[in-house]
Amino acid sequence: MKTITSIFSALFITFLFLAPLHAQNDRSSEIAQQMASLDSPATNQRIKAAKIIARSGFDNEALYQKIARILEAGYTQKGGSKHIDEMAWMCKALAASGDIRYTDLLTEVARNSPNRKLQGYAKKSVAQIGNYAKRKEVMGSDYSWNKKLTDEENRLVSMLRSGDHKIMRDAAKIIYRGQLLSSPVYQEVAQAISSMQSTIGSSRIHSDTLAWLCKALSTSGDAKYAKVLQGVIDNSHSTSLTNHAQKSLANLRP
């Protein structure tokens, strides 16, 4: 009897320990909000939703099916630049599903859209599906989440720790284009820069990722990161990377 009680106690403690982690991945309210925005009569609101979906790593089939229907119904319609912009973002949001089942639709858009610009966006989106699949897996991992950070901040930290330069670059772009985040996120950016500097990398993706990480770190506005950016300037063999690092350094508080 004592053994059974001990087992149940252990199971209960395990449940309490794991429950917060599973709760962190409950994104139903976020998804519902974006689903509603996709139904908005306002084009700007629908575009905004597509942009959020493209960067957020949602895992919800109904959401992506809705996007597919919007794209399928709208990509052949004639419209101004705003309509093309919406369809382009729908392509990117659909690619963010990481689901190869949407390859056919995106390929159809790339081949049959009457707008060359939209054809190009659809083609790029097809090529990005695999990368988005990896990114979504990384963003869905919550085993090392910091309870002091928001869910979005934790997902960004996971992306920065992934070791995949494309995913790290995506995280840096989100940080650069978003709002001010908690200090641990910028510390993670600084760590990523230092780690990448310690490895020999002459590839375009290596330099491009470092450049975006520098730009992301500059949004902290914190002078304590000046040394990190100066290190990039001193050690870079890329003129473009050096320029990005110098501009980023100039954005930090004196």
Side-chain angles (χ1 to χ4, degrees), residues 37-99:
S37 294
L38 289 172
D39 286 329
S40 171
T43 304
N44 287 341
Q45 192 66 27
R46 297 194 299 272
I47 291 175
K48 182 180 178 181
K51 289 180 178 181
I52 292 172
I53 293 165
R55 71 171 185 255
S56 297
F58 291 128
D59 188 11
N60 184 276
E61 188 173 354
L63 176 66
Y64 294 112
Q65 286 178 348
K66 177 182 279 290
I67 295 168
R69 289 194 296 270
I70 293 172
L71 179 61
E72 191 170 21
Y75 85 88
T76 58
Q77 294 179 6
K78 292 183 179 180
S81 59
K82 187 71 81 172
H83 176 70
I84 298 304
D85 192 30
E86 178 184 358
M87 291 298 103
W89 274 106
M90 291 301 167
C91 286
K92 193 167 185 177
L94 193 59
S97 68
D99 192 334

Side-chain angles (χ1 to χ4, degrees), residues 53-227:
I53 293 165
R55 71 171 185 255
S56 297
F58 291 128
D59 188 11
N60 184 276
E61 188 173 354
L63 176 66
Y64 294 112
Q65 286 178 348
K66 177 182 279 290
I67 295 168
R69 289 194 296 270
I70 293 172
L71 179 61
E72 191 170 21
Y75 85 88
T76 58
Q77 294 179 6
K78 292 183 179 180
S81 59
K82 187 71 81 172
H83 176 70
I84 298 304
D85 192 30
E86 178 184 358
M87 291 298 103
W89 274 106
M90 291 301 167
C91 286
K92 193 167 185 177
L94 193 59
S97 68
D99 192 334
I100 60 173
R101 290 178 297 177
Y102 295 116
T103 301
D104 289 345
L105 174 56
L106 290 170
T107 302
E108 178 185 322
V109 177
R111 290 175 179 172
N112 302 327
S113 171
N115 184 278
R116 288 182 177 271
K117 183 179 178 181
L118 181 53
Q119 288 178 4
Y121 278 115
K123 186 176 181 180
K124 289 179 182 178
S125 294
V126 171
Q128 286 294 318
I129 289 178
N131 182 51
Y132 273 117
K134 293 179 183 177
R135 195 178 88 168
K136 192 167 72 170
E137 184 178 354
V138 169
M139 293 175 76
S141 175
D142 60 8
Y143 70 92
S144 61
W145 281 28
N146 183 343
K147 294 180 181 179
K148 295 181 180 179
L149 301 181
T150 66
D151 287 359
E152 181 179 8
E153 289 172 334
N154 273 300
R155 284 189 284 271
L156 289 169
V157 168
S158 294
M159 292 170 72
L160 291 167
R161 291 178 178 175
S162 69
D164 185 305
H165 289 169
K166 290 182 179 179
I167 294 176
M168 293 167 69
R169 182 179 62 182
D170 285 347
K173 288 181 178 181
I174 293 171
I175 294 168
Y176 178 72
R177 294 167 178 165
Q179 298 177 339
L180 188 66
L181 301 171
S182 300
S183 177
V185 179
Y186 296 109
Q187 290 173 10
E188 202 65 44
V189 174
Q191 179 59 46
I193 292 173
S194 299
S195 297
M196 289 188 69
Q197 278 191 275
S198 66
T199 60
I200 299 175
S202 57
S203 67
R204 181 177 178 180
I205 183 63
H206 186 278
S207 296
D208 198 34
T209 300
L210 261 177
W212 275 104
L213 286 169
C214 289
K215 292 167 73 172
L217 191 59
S218 74
T219 63
S220 71
D222 197 329
K224 73 178 181 181
Y225 296 120
K227 185 177 180 180

Side-chain angles (χ1 to χ4, degrees), residues 1 5-6 14 25 74 109 169 205 242:
M1 186 69 178
T5 302
S6 299
T14 301
N25 269 341
V109 177
R169 182 179 62 182
I205 183 63
T242 300

Side-chain angles (χ1 to χ4, degrees), residues 239-254:
T239 302
S240 176
L241 175 57
T242 300
N243 289 337
H244 282 299
Q246 288 174 334
K247 290 178 182 178
S248 298
L249 180 60
N251 287 333
L252 298 183
R253 290 192 299 268

